[in-house]
């Protein structure tokens, strides 16, 4: 069986690329396709492929640094891949990958990380942050995004089956595409060794420092908690502003390597997560280090943080506002002894890479069996009767 895996684009290793890594472990001989591939050789080796087959966007000027400028061309580019020689096509899609063209005898499974959010519910945020929220640029950008939505809905009929990375995304798929989706949560990297040392005094935020991550609200919350220490790990365009508004109890670590981040997680009193994410792998990575999570009670966090029962792993705040976050931290302090490293780690193990591979391969096998059966039972075409003169 020949297998192709189609990924939107490759230039950083994030959560979607971790899914790609596990798909390549299930199907090690698969060919990888992407609109463009600018990953260094060592990252490709880590993910499990040598070189992706790319589109014409790979050769366009400034594609490495300004690829979003080519958004209007991406539907056309993804449709140019010739996948006719493959029995199974798996698209790993958060933008356009699910729109690849396949034939009736091919099985196409699309793992949808999210319908493209900048064309749907994040359109206004995207326009504002890109400086296209007013004037002629705004009119042109809105027309392009409208056409992207039309294309996105039309191509949602292409895959034989859709897999969502969370129940939250499955609801968005149902609303936007009118299709049901199987939920298979993405894999997380479990701790290589368990940290059994004492906790520090700090609370931790680890995030790209951009507005929608709501790190500013966390920083302002700790202005109300002057006796508590907050560590902010990460970089981004909001870094300078956050340093300006931070009090003396807030420190910034900038970019930290994975091992250092894991140590910060393991020694934190709690990990704070204030964004509404489709899934939020980093929440479970903190749990894997045995650390409770204080999270915004929306999106994927509602599926990964246990807030009830004897084995709780965290608490929710209902709005990404400083007062709500500060109140949640105070509530946590009153119950801190009720949270155990063992419960947090056990929750994270439910999302291991081994379980992801088992669930995904089982689902594909089931869909392949159904697909083959449907191909074998197609109605025969009756011979045309010649007219009798």
């Amino acid at each position: 069986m020949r297998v192709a895996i189609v990924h939107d684009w490759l230039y950083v290793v994030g959560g979607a690329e971790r899914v790609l890594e596990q798909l390549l472990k299930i199907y090690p001989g698969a060919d990888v396709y992407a609109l463009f591939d600018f990953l260094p050789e060592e990252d490709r080796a880590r993910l499990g492929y040598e070189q992706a087959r790319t589109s014409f966007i790979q050769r366009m000027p400034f594609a490495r640094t300004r690829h979003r400028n080519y958004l209007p061309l991406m539907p056309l580019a993804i449709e140019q891949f010739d996948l006719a020689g493959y029995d199974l096509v798996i698209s790993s899609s958060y933008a356009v990958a699910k729109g690849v063209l396949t034939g009736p005898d091919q099985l196409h499974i699309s793992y949808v990380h999210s319908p493209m959010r900048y064309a749907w519910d994040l359109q206004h945020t995207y326009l504002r942050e890109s400086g296209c929220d007013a004037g002629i640029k705004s009119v042109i950008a809105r027309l392009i995004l409208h056409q992207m939505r039309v294309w996105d809905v039309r191509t949602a009929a292409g895959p034989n089956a859709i897999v969502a990375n969370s129940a939250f995304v499955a609801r968005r798929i149902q609303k936007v595409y009118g299709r049901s989706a199987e939920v298979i949560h993405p894999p997380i990297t479990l701790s290589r060794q368990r940290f059994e040392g004492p906790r520090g005094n700090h609370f931790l935020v680890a995030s790209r420092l951009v507005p929608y991550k709501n790190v500013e609200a966390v920083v302002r919350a700790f202005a109300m908690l002057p006796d508590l220490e907050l560590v902010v790990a990460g970089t981004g365009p909001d870094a300078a502003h956050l340093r300006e508004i931070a009090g003396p109890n807030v420190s910034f670590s900038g970019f930290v390597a994975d091992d250092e981040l894991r140590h910060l997680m393991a020694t934190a009193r709690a990990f704070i997560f204030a964004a509404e994410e489709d899934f939020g792998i980093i929440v479970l990575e903190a749990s894997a280090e045995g650390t409770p999570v204080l999270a915004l009670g929306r999106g994927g966090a509602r599926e990964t943080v246990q807030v009830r029962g004897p084995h709780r792993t965290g608490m929710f705040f209902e709005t990404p506002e400083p007062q709500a976050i500060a109140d949640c931290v105070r509530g946590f302090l009153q119950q801190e002894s009720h949270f155990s490293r063992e419960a947090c780690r056990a929750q994270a193990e439910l999302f291991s890479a081994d379980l992801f591979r088992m669930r995904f391969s089982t689902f594909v096998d089931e869909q392949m069996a159904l697909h083959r059966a449907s191909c074998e039972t197609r109605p025969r075409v009756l011979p045309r009767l010649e007219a009798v003169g």
Side-chain angles (χ1 to χ4, degrees):
M1 184 172 66
R2 293 198 63 197
V3 180
I5 300 176
V6 185
H7 196 74
D8 284 304
W9 52 71
L10 293 156
Y11 74 105
V12 294
V13 176
E17 287 68 40
R18 296 184 191 186
V19 170
L20 174 62
E21 177 185 11
Q22 298 305 318
L23 293 177
L24 286 167
K25 288 184 177 180
I26 301 172
Y27 306 103
D31 293 326
V32 176
Y33 288 78
L35 292 177
F36 52 85
D37 181 2
F38 296 121
L39 284 180
E41 189 174 330
E42 57 270 23
D43 282 344
R44 293 175 188 160
R46 181 153 60 97
L47 294 179
Y49 75 99
E50 293 183 2
Q51 175 67 57
R53 304 183 185 194
T54 58
S55 74
F56 62 81
I57 294 178
Q58 176 86 21
R59 301 179 295 277
M60 300 292 278
F62 309 110
R64 184 186 294 267
T65 56
R66 299 180 183 178
H67 63 269
R68 292 191 187 277
N69 290 348
Y70 295 109
L71 181 65
L73 296 178
M74 289 181 181
L76 173 65
I78 206 72
E79 291 176 348
Q80 302 314 302
F81 289 137
D82 183 2
L83 305 177
Y86 297 96
D87 305 292
L88 171 63
V89 175
I90 300 171
S91 56
S92 169
S93 183
Y94 48 86
V96 297
K98 76 168 189 355
V100 291
L101 304 180
T102 57
D105 292 330
Q106 296 173 287
L107 179 65
H108 176 191
I109 306 290
S110 186
Y111 188 96
V112 177
H113 305 273
S114 174
M116 57 175 113
R117 300 199 67 178
Y118 41 84
W120 293 97
D121 51 318
L122 289 185
Q123 171 184 283
H124 302 295
T125 301
Y126 172 74
L127 291 172
R128 184 168 54 252
E129 292 181 358
S130 60
C132 295
D133 54 339
I136 189 63
K137 288 173 62 178
S138 175
V139 174
I140 294 171
R142 291 171 193 274
L143 285 171
I144 291 170
L145 292 175
H146 172 74
Q147 291 302 317
M148 292 293 291
R149 286 192 292 273
V150 172
W151 179 88
D152 196 30
V153 171
R154 179 178 62 78
T155 57
N160 297 77
I162 296 178
V163 179
N165 72 349
S166 65
F168 176 63
V169 168
R171 291 193 297 273
R172 294 184 66 237
I173 289 170
Q174 180 65 53
K175 183 173 184 177
V176 172
Y177 300 149
R179 293 196 59 177
S180 60
E182 180 81 4
V183 176
I184 301 177
H185 294 110
I188 69 158
T189 304
L190 297 174
S191 306
R192 290 186 290 271
Q193 59 184 41
R194 296 190 171 190
F195 178 83
E196 301 297 349
R199 293 198 184 277
N201 293 319
H202 66 279
F203 290 77
L204 176 66
V205 170
S207 169
R208 180 160 168 74
L209 304 183
V210 292
Y212 83 92
K213 295 290 188 178
N214 296 323
V215 178
E216 180 175 343
V218 182
V219 171
R220 292 190 182 279
F222 273 76
M224 307 175 191
L225 305 164
D227 296 330
L228 299 178
E229 178 186 350
L230 175 69
V231 175
V232 178
T235 61
D238 280 5
H241 171 65
L242 292 173
R243 290 176 186 272
E244 288 178 2
I245 67 171
N249 61 331
V250 179
S251 60
F252 292 83
S253 299
F255 171 80
V256 293
D258 188 63
D259 288 345
E260 183 181 352
L261 177 59
R262 291 284 182 159
H263 182 75
L264 283 171
M265 287 177 171
T267 55
R269 297 175 71 174
F271 182 81
I272 303 179
F273 187 77
E276 180 181 318
E277 294 281 14
D278 299 322
F279 182 67
I281 285 177
I282 198 166
V283 167
L284 284 166
E285 290 179 336
S287 296
E289 297 299 332
T291 299
V293 175
L294 310 181
L296 178 64
R298 303 177 189 171
R302 298 194 68 87
E303 301 169 48
T304 59
V305 181
Q306 288 288 342
V307 298
R308 296 183 179 86
H311 304 295
R312 291 187 299 159
T313 65
M315 299 174 65
F316 289 143
F317 46 91
E318 293 306 315
T319 61
E321 302 295 333
Q323 187 64 60
I325 296 169
D327 289 344
C328 184
V329 172
R330 293 188 186 104
F332 170 77
L333 294 175
Q334 296 173 358
Q335 306 173 49
E336 189 170 4
S337 62
H338 298 172
F339 296 91
S340 70
R341 286 191 183 276
E342 291 72 22
C344 294
R345 287 167 177 159
Q347 176 70 1
E349 288 169 357
L350 298 176
F351 300 85
S352 70
D354 290 342
L355 285 174
F356 171 83
R357 292 194 300 271
M358 181 191 72
R359 291 167 182 161
F360 190 85
S361 59
T362 298
F363 179 75
V364 172
D365 289 346
E366 292 170 350
Q367 292 299 312
M368 182 60 77
L370 291 172
H371 179 66
R372 286 172 173 164
S374 69
C375 291
E376 292 171 358
T377 57
R378 285 178 183 163
R380 292 181 300 123
V381 177
L382 296 176
R384 187 177 63 181
L385 296 177
E386 298 295 334
V388 178

